[in-house]
Amino acid sequence: MENEIDSKTQLKEYLYVLSVSGYIHTKFANYKEGEKYFKKIITLLKDSKNYLDLYLAASNNLAHIYKVTNNTDEGIHIMEKALVKAKQINEINNMLLIQNNLGQLYVKKEQYKVAEKKGLEVLEQANEKLYPIHVANANRLLGSVYYYLGNYKKSEEHIDKAIAFFRDFKNPELLRNALDVKNKLLIKTEQFEDAAKVNSEIISLLDSVSLNTNIQNLQKNLVAYETEKKDNEITILKQKDEISNFKIDKQRQYIYFLFIGLVGITILGLIVFLYQKKINIIQNLSLRSKLTRSQFNPHYINNAFTSLQATLVENNLDENLIDYTSNVSRFSRLLLESTFKDEWTLFEEKQMMENYLKTQLYRLEDGFDYNIDTNLQKEELHALKVPSALTQTALENAIEHGGFKNNSNGEIKVSILKNNDHIEIQIQNNILGHQIQTEKKMENEPSRGLEITKQRVELHSKIHKLPTDFSFTKNGDVALVTFTLPLLPA
């Protein structure tokens, strides 16, 4: 469309296409491409008095890109020029939006007094009934500013107002950003129990965002399917209407060709239907896999970070603590990445296992030993893919049911072996504490964590149409979990 529209005679339509293109690239993190489109809009309108709403929107989007890519100075430059334009046309909504965005950029630049001025100007200029979202964002900005300036009382006053609004506004992303500031404030003032509660709410919001995204994608697929179906029905009705208007003297000839055409349409429709059905099955299996992974209990992240935060206050950052912090950070990043990926490389899976076991080894005060063996080279680990975070539940069971706390005889052995046509991952642990519960006492059903893992292995088999296997055995004081997966190139 960009190539087909004449920018001189159809400027409005051309600007619209540039805006949509820039937005799509930004949404998919193609920031260089997004920057190119928004810059083109600003260049076209920098001396114009028309379409200033598109100019201001492009400036805001460009500032967002610069904020994400840490090009703060360029973002501030763009937004200051946009603020002058907004004031010239007295466009209140854009003025408030730009000042809030500018304040956030100045916070990142550590120019807190300038950021404070922007936030206070918004509160002074905004009518809370007409622009409640801008007032809430200004309170969130001032909560951050006063936190960094050390005025914790003012910080709490403003951030609590923002949190109260965003809870009613039902925007998980904005609420999570406000809760992040509240969490830092509680830790700084040593209110660790309240900080733990805020952490739990933040993690639950991350889960809800992921789940909502999966549901929205499923709804979009269903709408697209129904739309295509209706279009096909309309096309067939038009063809029938044309047939009814044929002249009588040509009717026999046209009926013959109609018969041939209908046979062809039927065959083509059947092929399209079967192909679409196959695509829908694969998409639904993929979405079910994402929804299944979203059931994982994130209590480990909460416990780890709460423990870390309390320890940081009580200790003087020795080397073990630094290692623990690094491992928790890497593990958390990998765990969150796994919620957005159906599959990843065997190297990433091994990395996640190592980081998780290191953090638990620190938490349990060296209450167990672990070993990860593999007969694959590093290049092979990068070249093969498996379901993401597949082994996490098995490792959690080994730790939680192994009874390793305050005991130096615990042992976990992990092996990753490549055979002729499959990969075999084994997780073996000895049991020093209470007996592992693989079945529910009341219903005699498999444990929920292992049942979810089994379902994921079965989905992996259905998607790729290759054999897989998952087993759990217990022999005396040794528990063994085995995954058998096909060799799939990454």
Side-chain angles (χ1 to χ4, degrees), residues 258-270:
L258 172 64
F259 175 76
I260 300 297
L262 287 175
V263 170
I265 290 173
T266 302
I267 295 172
L268 179 61
L270 182 61

Side-chain angles (χ1 to χ4, degrees), residues 1-2 5-21 41 44-45 48 50-55:
M1 290 180 67
E2 181 185 354
I5 296 174
D6 186 347
S7 62
K8 294 181 180 179
T9 60
Q10 297 173 289
L11 180 59
K12 184 177 180 180
E13 291 79 3
Y14 185 67
L15 292 170
Y16 175 76
V17 171
L18 295 180
S19 298
V20 173
S21 298
I41 294 172
L44 287 170
L45 298 178
S48 174
N50 299 320
Y51 312 119
L52 289 182
D53 55 331
L54 293 176
Y55 175 90

Side-chain angles (χ1 to χ4, degrees), residues 323-377:
D323 289 341
Y324 177 61
T325 305
S326 177
N327 288 321
V328 168
S329 175
R330 283 194 291 267
F331 172 75
S332 301
R333 176 179 58 78
L334 286 168
L335 182 61
L336 290 175
E337 284 181 359
S338 74
T339 64
F340 299 102
K341 296 180 180 180
D342 289 321
E343 297 165 335
W344 62 11
T345 65
L346 194 54
F347 178 81
E348 289 172 300
E349 186 73 19
K350 180 173 177 289
Q351 234 186 355
M352 187 169 183
M353 287 191 280
E354 289 174 344
N355 288 323
Y356 175 76
L357 290 171
K358 286 177 182 178
T359 59
Q360 292 290 43
L361 192 66
Y362 182 93
R363 183 173 72 88
L364 297 178
E365 299 176 352
D366 295 327
F368 66 97
D369 293 321
Y370 76 89
N371 187 43
I372 300 178
D373 288 324
T374 180
N375 65 352
L376 287 88
Q377 300 297 321

Side-chain angles (χ1 to χ4, degrees), residues 27 32 35 71 122 133 145 185 243 275 298 317 346 363 416 448 466 473 482:
K27 189 72 174 175
K32 285 292 184 184
E35 178 186 10
N71 193 350
V122 172
I133 184 67
V145 168
L185 180 62
I243 292 170
Y275 181 73
L317 287 176
L346 194 54
R363 183 173 72 88
I416 305 172
R448 185 60 178 159
L466 291 171
T473 59
T482 302

Side-chain angles (χ1 to χ4, degrees), residues 210-211 214-215 218 286-295:
S210 175
L211 184 60
N214 289 335
I215 292 172
L218 178 58
S286 175
L287 289 171
R288 282 177 58 198
S289 175
K290 289 181 179 178
L291 291 171
T292 300
R293 291 206 309 279
S294 72
Q295 299 174 50

Side-chain angles (χ1 to χ4, degrees), residues 371-426:
N371 187 43
I372 300 178
D373 288 324
T374 180
N375 65 352
L376 287 88
Q377 300 297 321
K378 186 175 180 180
E379 294 77 14
E380 293 179 290
L381 292 171
H382 280 288
L384 297 173
K385 67 179 179 181
V386 295
S388 61
L390 182 65
T391 59
Q392 183 59 30
T393 300
L395 288 176
E396 287 178 0
N397 279 353
I399 295 291
E400 298 303 325
H401 298 297
F404 297 154
K405 189 169 181 61
N406 298 324
N407 194 308
S408 59
N409 296 321
E411 186 175 30
I412 295 177
K413 294 181 179 179
V414 180
S415 65
I416 305 172
L417 303 175
K418 175 186 175 185
N419 295 319
N420 292 330
D421 60 349
H422 66 272
I423 301 167
E424 185 174 273
I425 303 175
Q426 289 190 340

Side-chain angles (χ1 to χ4, degrees), residues 104 136-144 158-159 162 166 174 177-178 181:
Q104 294 293 348
N137 276 321
N139 279 318
R140 177 167 65 92
L141 168 61
L142 291 170
S144 297
H158 286 284
I159 204 64
F166 291 135
L174 293 175
N177 290 337
V181 178

